[in-house]
Amino acid sequence: MLEATDQVLVNDLTGAPSLKQRRALAKIITLLESTRMDHRRRADEVLNTLLPKTGKSFRLGISGVPGVGKSTLIESLGLYLIEKGHRVAVLAIDPSSSLSGGSILGDKTRMEKLSVLDNAFIRPSPSSCTLGGVAEKTREAMLVAEAAGFDVIIVETVGVGQSEIAVAGMTDMFLLLQLPNAGDDLQAIKKGVMEIADLIVINKVDIDPDAAMRAQLFITSSLRLLGFQGNPDHASHDQEFWHPTVMTLSALQGSGVPELWEKILHFQKLQNANGKLQSRRQQQAGAWMWDRIDAGLKNAFRNHPAVQTLLPGITAEVNQGTMAASVAARRLLEAMGHEFF
């Protein structure tokens, strides 16, 4: 059952758009991100209460290497969507230092125009060194923003390592941003992130139009090849199914943004019609549950009294080279009461 203060937050969040709603949204996300157990229990109650009001937005994931122009594109797209009557929430993931654990959380400074609009909400969150470059509570924050009535949720990742895989696993559409001089046809043909991208956008076409055109041709050719040997969902030429495409734009100048939104709407229409959108969300919900189970088991293992007793000595032996890491792991797991094979 919700506490009285949390019930007020839920009422403010699900009410009419206002400053009070924005404050409630920020406070609930902060509650979700807290590591205190009492806050975690409160957050669980709030999330379950809000669940019936979620699922009505379109979730767009955007990733790309640092400097590719993710924030600029998000601001241009956000401004365009708000003019069209949409409400846009941006969940920007900021990389955390592996040394200090701190984050700059400065993404809002790159979206000056968007951040001051009433129908926009921008929330930078630290990745907290989470594998995949996505904040641990991003999925939950997405649900809260949906309950607040934001109909377009944009998740911006840090753009490193496995961040593309992570954001594709929590959104309806994964957009990969590329630079005009990102590489040749050999780079474009490499598997991995290209196989999971629903739409590839080559940004900064205003800087070098010729290079952008070459990159578009290279990547388009590679997608055709991957259609035969890559993702089976991309192999069909049936027009009732979405096929990954490549386009160019200039986020800084705003050119190509309306065309980008048209492609996104076409994707949404096809995925709704063929049932792919619903099945994708169901798979993501199941994966999210197991992800939380994995994190909970790891946390329980670290806090187990027997493990805490043995850990310093075993860690020292591993560091000194007198015990193999696999043997150390097995002994710690056995101390918790589990066999390790």
Side-chain angles (χ1 to χ4, degrees):
M1 185 175 179
L2 286 177
E3 294 185 8
T5 54
D6 294 336
Q7 184 64 62
V8 172
L9 287 177
V10 168
N11 293 341
D12 290 343
L13 181 81
T14 55
S18 62
L19 180 59
K20 188 181 293 186
Q21 184 193 61
R22 295 168 67 87
R23 286 175 178 168
L25 177 53
K27 286 182 178 180
I28 291 175
I29 293 177
T30 299
L31 186 66
L32 290 169
E33 293 177 343
S34 175
T35 57
R36 284 176 45 174
M37 287 306 299
D38 59 328
H39 286 178
R40 181 65 264 178
R41 284 190 289 269
R42 288 172 54 197
D44 288 344
E45 291 293 334
V46 170
L47 202 59
N48 279 334
T49 302
L50 294 174
L51 207 56
K53 297 183 178 295
T54 65
K56 299 181 178 68
S57 74
F58 183 77
R59 306 164 183 174
L60 176 65
I62 297 181
S63 191
V65 298
V68 74
K70 296 187 292 293
S71 297
T72 306
L73 174 62
I74 290 172
E75 179 168 60
S76 295
L77 179 60
L79 292 172
Y80 175 79
L81 292 177
I82 288 173
E83 286 182 2
K84 294 288 184 180
H86 295 279
R87 299 185 69 208
V88 180
V90 180
L91 304 176
I93 316 304
D94 200 56
S96 297
S97 169
S98 58
L99 299 177
S100 66
S103 297
I104 297 174
L105 301 179
D107 295 270
K108 291 179 73 171
T109 62
R110 295 197 186 102
M111 308 178 199
E112 294 182 38
K113 296 179 182 178
L114 186 63
S115 62
V116 299
L117 297 181
D118 291 338
N119 286 325
F121 177 82
I122 303 174
R123 174 75 179 207
S125 297
S127 66
S128 302
C129 302
T130 304
L131 181 63
V134 175
E136 183 182 358
K137 305 300 181 184
T138 301
R139 294 177 178 88
E140 296 176 349
M142 205 159 44
L143 295 178
V144 178
E146 286 180 345
F150 289 90
D151 60 332
V152 179
I153 313 292
I154 300 176
V155 180
E156 177 196 0
T157 72
V158 300
V160 292
Q162 293 185 339
S163 60
E164 292 88 357
I165 308 296
V167 73
M170 68 173 69
T171 54
D172 300 325
M173 185 181 199
F174 171 50
L175 187 157
L176 178 63
L177 211 55
Q178 295 275 59
L179 291 167
N181 57 351
D184 55 13
D185 50 349
L186 184 60
Q187 285 293 118
I189 208 172
K190 287 183 178 179
K191 292 189 177 184
V193 66
M194 291 294 180
E195 290 182 313
I196 62 170
D198 297 302
L199 178 62
I200 298 172
V201 176
I202 300 167
N203 190 24
K204 303 186 179 182
V205 66
D206 52 301
I207 295 178
D208 194 340
D210 292 336
M213 183 177 295
R214 287 194 298 272
Q216 185 177 16
L217 291 172
F218 289 149
I219 296 173
T220 300
S221 297
S222 72
L223 289 178
R224 290 198 184 111
L225 181 59
L226 293 176
F228 292 104
Q229 295 185 338
N231 192 324
D233 291 337
H234 297 169
S236 172
H237 296 285
D238 192 334
Q239 293 303 307
E240 293 183 0
F241 293 88
W242 172 263
H243 307 291
T245 56
V246 189
M247 65 173 294
T248 62
L249 56 72
S250 171
L252 185 62
Q253 296 180 348
S255 61
V257 172
E259 292 79 5
L260 170 62
W261 183 240
E262 285 300 317
K263 287 186 179 296
I264 294 172
L265 288 177
H266 181 54
F267 172 88
Q268 184 182 24
K269 180 181 178 181
L270 287 179
Q271 297 295 84
N272 275 321
N274 60 34
K276 289 283 187 179
L277 190 66
Q278 184 61 28
S279 64
R280 183 168 177 164
R281 287 193 175 186
Q282 289 174 349
Q283 292 172 0
Q284 290 172 350
W288 179 13
M289 180 188 72
W290 281 109
D291 180 66
R292 294 297 84 217
I293 289 173
D294 290 341
L297 287 173
K298 186 176 180 180
N299 185 61
F301 171 77
R302 287 181 175 274
N303 292 321
H304 194 279
V307 172
Q308 290 182 332
T309 300
L310 293 174
L311 189 59
I314 289 181
T315 301
E317 289 188 61
V318 171
N319 292 339
Q320 293 166 7
T322 58
M323 182 183 294
S326 58
V327 175
R330 187 180 299 110
R331 289 188 180 179
L332 288 170
L333 286 166
E334 287 173 351
M336 191 180 176
H338 295 275
E339 293 185 356
F340 178 65
F341 298 97

